[in-house]
Amino acid sequence: GRGAAVRVELDCDAPGERADQSSWPKIRRNTGETEVGAVTGTGPQTGASFVVEGGPRNLLRHAVEFACAEPQLRIWFGSPNEILATMYEQGRSALELRESEKDWDEQGETPLWLLPATAVDADELAEIAASLGLNVSERSAYRILRGEVTVAPTLRAAMEARCVSQERPRAVDLEADRRGLKIDARDLAEFSAEVESAFDRLAEKYYLNVHDEPKLRLKRNTLTLRFDFDKES
């Protein structure tokens, strides 16, 4: 009844795709025309609906897709320091509210997410963090207590901010060279799917394992579709 903390350790040398772990996936608001394979979700906090259309299959994309699939959950994504700072700030607010309402649990059954807020100093905060699977130095814990570590926003709030930023009109540069080719996103997706289907036949014939979705790039007069693969042993 106190919640759960789960820690997962991964061998970063094992995955074929290790780069680009900080890039966000492609997100847009859902207009009701959801494409096949897109991940959607409607959140009770904002009432907005989002669609994940692509991007590198990194940890951030998986977290965003999970946030879309489970809109009733509040999910934070960040470094151990940022997550601990978030737990500390959220916990302090909750404990202050409980004390004001005389609702503090004196039986030692404090929920796990509230534990960081009970720390009296940096050393205790670092110990509590370690018990929850967060490796944070005592110096970092001290900075958290001083409010020097940025608190992470919820994923849904970050998604909302990104959509607002993308929708905001950009200033027009009259001197910019606009002679480059512009292809509609749907046409690019259709072209990518057709080439991927053709490559699947080649991969089956020559025993190739594809690591990830093909990477399509359009730059000036060059259209590149890259497949990362290796041969089956």
Side-chain angles (χ1 to χ4, degrees), residues 164-178 182:
V164 170
S165 175
Q166 292 169 3
E167 293 164 0
R168 185 178 298 119
R170 298 182 180 179
V172 178
D173 184 357
L174 298 178
E175 297 182 358
D177 183 0
R178 295 182 175 82
K182 301 293 184 182

Side-chain angles (χ1 to χ4, degrees), residues 51-97:
V51 176
V52 180
E53 294 184 310
R57 287 197 170 277
N58 52 21
L59 292 175
L60 182 53
R61 174 172 173 179
H62 285 292
V64 169
E65 289 180 342
F66 182 74
C68 286
E70 304 292 341
Q72 75 280 9
L73 300 179
R74 285 190 299 167
I75 303 169
W76 288 266
F77 184 93
S79 67
N81 286 354
E82 291 170 335
I83 295 301
L84 183 59
T86 303
M87 295 179 71
Y88 180 77
E89 291 298 326
Q90 293 280 330
R92 293 299 299 175
S93 298
L95 292 183
E96 289 175 3
L97 180 62

Side-chain angles (χ1 to χ4, degrees), residues 87-215:
M87 295 179 71
Y88 180 77
E89 291 298 326
Q90 293 280 330
R92 293 299 299 175
S93 298
L95 292 183
E96 289 175 3
L97 180 62
R98 285 191 175 194
E99 289 175 357
S100 66
E101 296 179 351
K102 306 299 183 181
D103 189 31
W104 171 242
D105 183 6
E106 298 178 353
Q107 304 302 318
E109 296 297 327
T110 308
L112 297 186
W113 73 274
L114 282 176
L115 286 179
T118 65
V120 297
D121 55 30
D123 183 58
E124 184 177 4
L125 180 58
E127 289 183 1
I128 291 174
S131 72
L132 298 175
L134 297 170
N135 289 334
V136 173
S137 67
E138 186 175 341
R139 179 177 179 276
S140 294
Y142 179 73
R143 292 182 59 233
I144 290 172
L145 293 177
R146 290 178 57 89
E148 297 176 357
V149 177
T150 303
V151 175
T154 63
L155 271 179
R156 294 199 63 84
M159 291 159 63
E160 176 72 21
R162 292 188 70 84
C163 285
V164 170
S165 175
Q166 292 169 3
E167 293 164 0
R168 185 178 298 119
R170 298 182 180 179
V172 178
D173 184 357
L174 298 178
E175 297 182 358
D177 183 0
R178 295 182 175 82
R179 293 176 297 177
L181 178 63
K182 301 293 184 182
I183 301 179
D184 185 85
R186 292 180 181 274
D187 292 332
L188 286 176
E190 183 178 348
F191 171 76
S192 178
E194 291 176 355
V195 177
E196 186 175 3
S197 177
F199 186 84
D200 285 343
R201 293 193 293 272
L202 189 70
E204 182 178 0
K205 183 176 181 180
Y206 290 95
Y207 305 100
L208 305 179
N209 285 323
V210 180
H211 295 316
D212 205 344
E213 294 181 353
K215 298 175 178 61

